[in-house]
Amino acid sequence: MNIRITQVTLLDESNDHHGSVVDIRIKDGIITDIAPKLNATKGEQHIDFENLIVSPGWFDSSVCIGEPGYEERETIKNGLLVAAKSGFTAIAVNPNTYPVTDSNSSVSYLINKAQNNAVSLYPIGSLTRNGEGVDLAELFDMTKAGAIAFGDYQHAISNPNLLKIALQYTQSFDGLVLSFPQENDLVIKGMANEGEIAIKLGLKGIPALAEHLQIARDLYILEYTGGKLHIPTISTAQSVALIKEAKAKGLDVTCSVAMANIYYTDSELEEFDTRYKVLPPLRNETDRKALIAGLKDGTIDMVTSDHNPLDIEQKKLEFDHAKFGTIAQEATLGALLTLVTERQAIHLLTAGRSRFTGEKAKIVVGEPANITLFTAKGTSTFTKENILSKSKNAAFLGAKLKGKVYGIIANNQYIAS
């Protein structure tokens, strides 16, 4: 694969050309030249888009792919193509498969199945056996197979001693523990944010307190044990404050926010549309604004699509019976650019890689190309034609978006959007 990208704004703080308009040449997947102007050579592909920006490849820290077990929702092959066309060169895949990703062999299956793709797949191993929240899974064995973190997707760790042991044990191999922020005993059969909207609609509430108590507990345990903790998809103003305080203490904690929670509020539930039934639930405008402020001041480390394909039998139901989740990768850039600048967006879409993998994508001569191509110009409306996933449970249908993904170059492949 030989490519010349021309007149592109390069945004990578590790590069001397950061912020400059340059040409980039890639040969056999390796960046060979970066200069203000490069002459064409025989046999190379020319890429030249209007208002083109190139950044280090994006990393999505929370993605669900049905395979194995739920291929009707999404397959690994198509899931990686969706990620590529949405601008991501790597994704962390949640263990909510069947069987649950809780062993060396199940981690190896995912990695082997994803080989030879432009997008790199990194498995998140289940923290507990079968994701049941009782006994720790074989964490070290999964690490040796390629798992990059451990957590039970959208299932809180109810037993505080289990979290304590996990944080202590994973220190021996620098493992990252994920703890979903929800105190289950305060939620029971909650469907939506506890507040005026839920009361008006007659829906059982999920109180913000359930998130605050769990995060406070987890941070106390982290302070006691040490270790590395990641709190996925926070959703409230108080959660931002708690994590900001913990970071000020020097605790090794990071957090993410799902794209839906910074774009929408619980007012979207007025029509009982199950596309907006997500977990954590959409909160109020005060919480949404606090989350955006947390992104801008660095308290929230990364944005995730929290992409969760679900088939029609699980979403086109009465609100109480529908499952939580939305697909979101296809709309992530466009929605995020309506809230932050392109440079902030790049940071929020790349920060997860170093936290989860210990690596950082750089646009450097002599290194393999791992880049995302996009523009921050232009507006559009997200429609059914923009859905690339097998499942169609998209909360972002009708959303007003900004910018556009042009594609990615990674693993010696160019995937155009």
Side-chain angles (χ1 to χ4, degrees):
M1 180 191 71
N2 297 327
I3 290 175
R4 181 172 57 104
I5 311 171
T6 58
Q7 295 304 286
V8 56
T9 300
L10 191 159
L11 294 182
D12 178 10
E13 293 180 355
S14 65
N15 193 293
D16 292 339
H17 295 283
H18 174 59
S20 301
V21 176
V22 296
D23 290 358
I24 301 173
R25 176 168 284 128
I26 299 167
K27 290 185 178 180
D28 298 323
I30 305 296
I31 299 171
T32 59
D33 293 288
I34 301 176
K37 181 69 175 178
L38 293 172
N39 294 325
T41 60
K42 186 177 180 181
E44 68 183 5
Q45 183 177 357
H46 181 211
I47 296 177
D48 178 22
F49 291 109
E50 189 176 1
N51 300 310
L52 178 59
I53 297 172
V54 164
S55 76
W58 304 341
F59 180 95
D60 196 341
S61 62
S62 180
V63 178
C64 298
I65 292 180
E67 187 177 0
Y70 303 111
E71 287 83 356
E72 72 278 6
R73 301 178 188 176
E74 189 59 278
T75 61
I76 290 173
K77 181 178 179 180
N78 191 65
L80 293 176
L81 184 61
V82 173
K85 293 193 172 188
S86 301
F88 296 94
T89 63
I91 57 174
V93 175
N94 293 309
N96 59 333
T97 53
Y98 185 78
V100 171
T101 310
D102 66 351
S103 66
N104 181 302
S105 60
S106 56
V107 170
S108 297
Y109 171 85
L110 291 173
I111 291 174
N112 292 334
K113 191 81 174 182
Q115 283 184 348
N116 303 318
N117 280 278
V119 176
S120 298
L121 184 155
Y122 293 96
I124 296 174
S126 179
L127 185 72
T128 62
R129 292 178 185 171
N130 296 317
E132 294 173 348
V134 178
D135 299 308
L136 286 183
E138 301 288 345
L139 306 187
F140 184 59
D141 273 358
M142 286 191 282
T143 296
K144 290 192 293 184
I148 57 169
F150 306 99
D152 297 341
Y153 180 66
Q154 291 191 344
H155 290 284
I157 304 171
S158 297
N159 183 349
N161 190 53
L162 191 67
L163 177 62
K164 178 177 80 74
I165 294 170
L167 286 168
Q168 290 172 328
Y169 175 58
T170 51
Q171 289 178 58
S172 63
F173 52 90
D174 198 32
L176 178 65
V177 174
L178 278 58
S179 180
F180 184 67
Q182 180 173 286
E183 169 51 66
N184 292 331
D185 289 338
L186 285 173
V187 174
I188 311 299
K189 296 182 180 179
M191 296 289 125
N193 177 49
E194 183 180 81
E196 182 180 342
I197 300 293
I199 293 171
K200 178 181 175 182
L201 299 178
L203 296 172
K204 294 182 178 68
I206 300 176
L209 177 65
E211 182 167 307
H212 307 156
L213 283 180
Q214 190 79 357
I215 289 176
R217 186 207 72 171
D218 290 355
L219 293 174
Y220 273 121
I221 294 172
L222 178 65
E223 189 171 8
Y224 176 80
T225 61
K228 294 168 60 176
L229 179 67
H230 178 72
I231 302 175
T233 59
I234 67 171
S235 67
T236 74
Q238 182 62 22
S239 297
V240 177
L242 287 167
I243 292 167
K244 188 171 188 177
E245 181 182 355
K247 288 185 172 185
K249 289 182 179 180
L251 300 186
D252 193 351
V253 60
T254 52
C255 66
S256 66
V257 65
M259 195 61 240
N261 290 94
I262 54 174
Y263 194 84
Y264 292 115
T265 68
D266 56 358
S267 63
E268 300 295 333
L269 304 180
E270 293 278 5
E271 301 298 323
F272 294 97
D273 192 333
T274 60
R275 292 183 298 119
Y276 301 106
K277 186 180 179 181
V278 294
L279 195 68
L282 302 178
R283 303 288 186 181
N284 59 39
E285 182 66 6
T286 298
D287 288 320
R288 191 184 77 89
K289 287 181 177 178
L291 292 172
I292 294 170
L295 293 175
K296 293 180 178 180
D297 70 17
T299 302
I300 300 175
D301 300 272
M302 62 197 78
V303 166
T304 174
S305 69
D306 203 25
H307 185 78
N308 188 1
L310 295 168
D311 55 78
I312 192 170
E313 287 83 3
Q314 295 171 318
K315 288 300 278 188
K316 205 166 184 65
L317 301 167
E318 296 87 350
F319 200 90
D320 277 9
H321 299 296
K323 285 189 175 291
F324 294 100
T326 179
I327 58 172
Q329 275 194 330
E330 299 97 319
T332 294
L333 172 72
L336 187 57
L337 285 176
T338 67
L339 306 172
V340 300
T341 68
E342 61 262 31
R343 296 192 184 204
Q344 290 171 326
I346 290 169
H347 172 75
L348 294 167
L349 293 172
T350 57
R353 186 187 297 270
S354 58
R355 180 59 167 174
F356 279 75
T357 72
E359 303 171 351
K360 185 177 180 179
K362 297 180 180 180
I363 303 176
V364 178
V365 171
E367 293 291 324
N370 188 319
I371 61 178
T372 299
L373 301 90
F374 72 102
T375 180
K377 303 293 185 182
T379 58
S380 62
T381 299
F382 192 81
T383 67
K384 290 181 179 179
E385 286 68 36
N386 300 120
I387 295 176
L388 306 171
S389 305
K390 283 186 68 177
S391 295
K392 311 303 177 186
N393 56 311
F396 286 90
L397 283 175
K400 305 299 181 183
L401 307 181
K402 183 180 178 183
K404 179 182 179 180
V405 173
Y406 288 129
I408 65 166
I409 300 174
N411 294 327
N412 198 21
Q413 296 178 54
Y414 169 47
I415 306 294
S417 296

